[in-house]
Amino acid sequence: MELNNVQKSQMIRKRMIIGAVTAIIASVLAFLNVKKSRTKRPKIVRQPYVNRDSLREANIDSVLYCGDSHCLGQIRMRPSAFFSFCNILVERGLLSKRKQMSVKEQVLIFLYLLGHNVRFRDVGGSFFRSTWTIHCYFHIVLQAILRLYPYLVNPPGTHMQPEIQNNPRFFPWFEDFIGAIDGTHVRASVPIEMQERFRGRKDKTTQNVLATVDFDLKFTYVLAGWEGSAHDSRVLGDALRKGFKVPEGKYYLADAGYGDRKGFMPLFRRVRYHLKEYTDNPPENEKELFNLRHSSLRMCIERAFGVLKKRFRVLDAEPFWSYETQVDVVIACCVIHNYLRGVDPNDAITREADLEVETHDIRKSLTQKKILEETKECVKKRNSIALAMWNAYKKHRTN
């Protein structure tokens, strides 16, 4: 019996040894197979360490220090205007240097996004920043620029504007006019259930933006956020309820959509105005002459809208952020536009936009507008201007 136990223990040890050896052999074979398979794969060459801070700074410098034209193409303003704009934001306490990002980089990224309508991830890749970082600083700069609105978008004064006073075609006939008013449509992105309300003149969804400009192409009032299907007169009514006012005795140049309100002077309806003063087809009466000069002077607002959309491509492309942000972006673009009118009014973008406006007839036939009843005061004022202007015009033609 004792012998049998010894034999059994020996057999158990032998089996354990065999099992251990088998496991070792299996492990060795597995290791060799893995090593063999790895040798067949292409080797991954490790890249050298990338100094992101250095590359980021080099990217910023390449935008700001490679010439005015290059900078204008990248961030839609020249370097001198850019640095001055950054200083304004810092001096007013609206932006400050953060641990992660300088003021210069914050503003540059913001302007690049507005100028080219690129995604946050695309800009993040160029500046070695995360999408979340770009998103956060975009909104920080946006809110800072919106707080500049009271400083840069000012109501017009009651004094006569030089563009009228120094031009015999407009003075003294338009001495009480302080600017022009109109609406423009800006691309909008809204939920499907809201899209029908936002389809305006075109098939695309838009927001209707009301604005007034002076004759220096500066915005003096901006109301954004109305759906594209809203009529201009309805948007104006909302603006008046929110505090928009016309100084007593003053007028805005307007189209037929605003003709039923005091302070807004439209053209004569159903009267031609696609003509020239000194050609073979001159105006034939006081109404035609008034319409001609009215439309010529009112081109200031079309020019302002043209420059705005030429500079900020984000306004002509489908946005990818919330609708509240889309509204804020429109106002921010107008604020920056006014700043640039003060420091760099004749840059290449402005000249290009003016050329496009001059070569493209943007005026619409008045018969296509909704005819609204005008106030007696505006009718009387307009008729007296037209008659006095016509008498002076005939006198000048006969001399």
Side-chain angles (χ1 to χ4, degrees):
M1 188 71 180
E2 194 173 332
L3 183 62
N4 291 336
N5 289 337
V6 172
Q7 290 177 345
K8 286 180 179 180
S9 62
Q10 288 177 348
M11 291 177 64
I12 292 171
R13 286 196 201 98
K14 189 182 293 185
R15 289 175 182 172
M16 291 175 64
I17 292 170
I18 293 171
V21 171
T22 304
I24 292 171
I25 294 172
S27 299
V28 171
L29 291 174
F31 173 77
L32 293 174
N33 287 333
V34 171
K35 187 175 181 180
K36 184 178 180 181
S37 63
R38 284 181 177 177
T39 56
K40 292 181 179 180
R41 296 176 184 174
K43 292 184 178 181
I44 300 176
V45 180
R46 291 190 176 275
Q47 297 294 325
Y49 171 74
V50 174
N51 187 338
R52 295 186 175 184
D53 293 337
S54 176
L55 291 177
R56 184 183 302 119
E57 197 63 30
N59 189 21
I60 295 173
D61 290 346
S62 71
V63 174
L64 298 176
Y65 302 108
C66 287
D68 286 2
S69 297
H70 178 70
C71 186
L72 192 67
Q74 294 297 307
I75 59 173
R76 320 310 288 162
M77 66 173 67
R78 291 193 269 212
S80 58
F82 171 81
F83 286 114
S84 177
F85 190 57
C86 291
N87 290 337
I88 291 173
L89 292 169
V90 172
E91 289 169 1
R92 294 189 178 275
L94 303 177
L95 275 184
S96 60
K97 182 180 179 181
R98 304 296 180 96
K99 184 178 180 181
Q100 284 185 310
M101 194 178 293
S102 66
V103 171
K104 178 174 66 174
E105 185 182 354
Q106 293 176 47
V107 179
L108 187 144
I109 288 174
F110 180 83
L111 293 174
Y112 188 85
L113 283 163
L114 294 192
H116 301 277
N117 192 44
V118 292
R119 300 278 177 169
F120 290 151
R121 68 174 68 92
D122 295 331
V123 177
S126 300
F127 288 87
F128 300 96
R129 299 290 190 184
S130 69
T131 303
W132 177 248
T133 299
I134 299 295
H135 173 271
C136 288
Y137 282 99
F138 173 82
H139 285 277
I140 289 172
V141 179
L142 176 61
Q143 294 305 313
I145 292 176
L146 291 176
R147 289 196 288 273
L148 283 177
Y149 184 94
Y151 304 103
L152 294 176
V153 183
N154 301 308
T158 56
H159 59 280
M160 191 186 310
Q161 299 198 31
E163 290 78 9
I164 291 178
Q165 187 174 8
N166 300 328
N167 192 328
R169 294 179 64 240
F170 304 129
F171 178 81
W173 330 116
F174 293 95
E175 60 183 344
D176 293 328
F177 289 74
I178 54 176
I181 184 170
D182 203 358
T184 188
H185 286 253
V186 173
R187 288 293 303 276
S189 178
V190 294
I192 296 177
E193 61 271 15
M194 298 172 59
Q195 288 185 0
E196 197 59 36
R197 289 167 39 210
F198 282 81
R199 296 193 190 280
R201 304 168 186 169
K202 300 179 181 179
D203 189 43
K204 298 174 182 177
T205 53
T206 61
Q207 56 169 306
N208 191 346
V209 181
L210 173 73
T212 61
V213 302
D214 60 21
F215 299 112
D216 191 35
L217 307 191
K218 283 187 177 181
F219 291 100
T220 56
Y221 180 81
V222 181
L223 176 63
W226 272 86
E227 57 267 26
S229 62
H231 192 276
D232 288 345
S233 61
R234 184 183 174 197
V235 182
L236 176 59
D238 182 52
L240 293 170
R241 287 190 295 272
K242 290 179 177 178
F244 172 62
K245 295 180 180 179
V246 183
E248 188 66 30
K250 300 297 179 179
Y251 298 87
Y252 280 103
L253 297 158
D255 64 17
Y258 304 107
D260 63 336
R261 300 178 188 273
K262 180 181 178 181
F264 303 94
M265 185 73 70
L267 299 135
F268 285 100
R269 297 185 179 90
R270 303 185 184 280
V271 176
R272 64 173 185 160
Y273 63 103
H274 289 233
L275 29 93
K276 301 287 186 181
E277 284 194 38
Y278 304 109
T279 63
D280 295 334
N281 188 28
E284 297 178 354
N285 53 54
E286 68 273 16
K287 292 183 179 180
E288 289 187 0
L289 180 62
F290 179 88
N291 277 8
L292 173 62
R293 293 185 179 177
H294 180 291
S295 60
S296 176
L297 193 57
R298 189 174 169 273
M299 286 294 288
C300 62
I301 195 162
E302 302 294 352
R303 290 174 60 204
F305 286 146
V307 174
L308 187 73
K309 293 183 178 181
K310 185 82 173 178
R311 189 179 304 278
F312 302 111
R313 292 299 186 185
V314 69
L315 301 179
D316 262 343
E318 186 174 1
F320 54 88
W321 36 58
S322 68
Y323 189 69
E324 292 76 12
T325 301
Q326 296 172 46
V327 175
D328 288 343
V329 163
V330 172
I331 298 174
C333 290
C334 294
V335 171
I336 299 172
H337 168 91
N338 275 16
Y339 162 74
L340 291 172
R341 290 299 303 172
V343 300
D344 195 9
N346 296 311
D347 64 13
I349 294 176
T350 302
R351 294 195 299 270
E352 289 176 14
D354 278 346
L355 184 62
E356 289 180 5
V357 171
E358 290 173 3
T359 56
H360 178 61
D361 187 7
I362 56 174
R363 293 168 288 185
K364 295 182 174 63
S365 172
L366 292 178
T367 58
Q368 296 176 357
K369 293 286 187 179
K370 182 180 179 181
I371 297 179
L372 302 173
E373 183 182 357
E374 301 167 14
T375 60
K376 293 182 179 179
E377 178 183 342
C378 287
V379 171
K380 184 178 179 181
K381 177 75 173 179
R382 185 181 61 187
N383 291 344
S384 64
I385 291 173
L387 183 59
M389 189 189 304
W390 177 248
N391 291 333
Y393 176 77
K394 287 193 300 182
K395 184 178 180 181
H396 176 74
R397 293 276 291 186
T398 55
N399 290 341

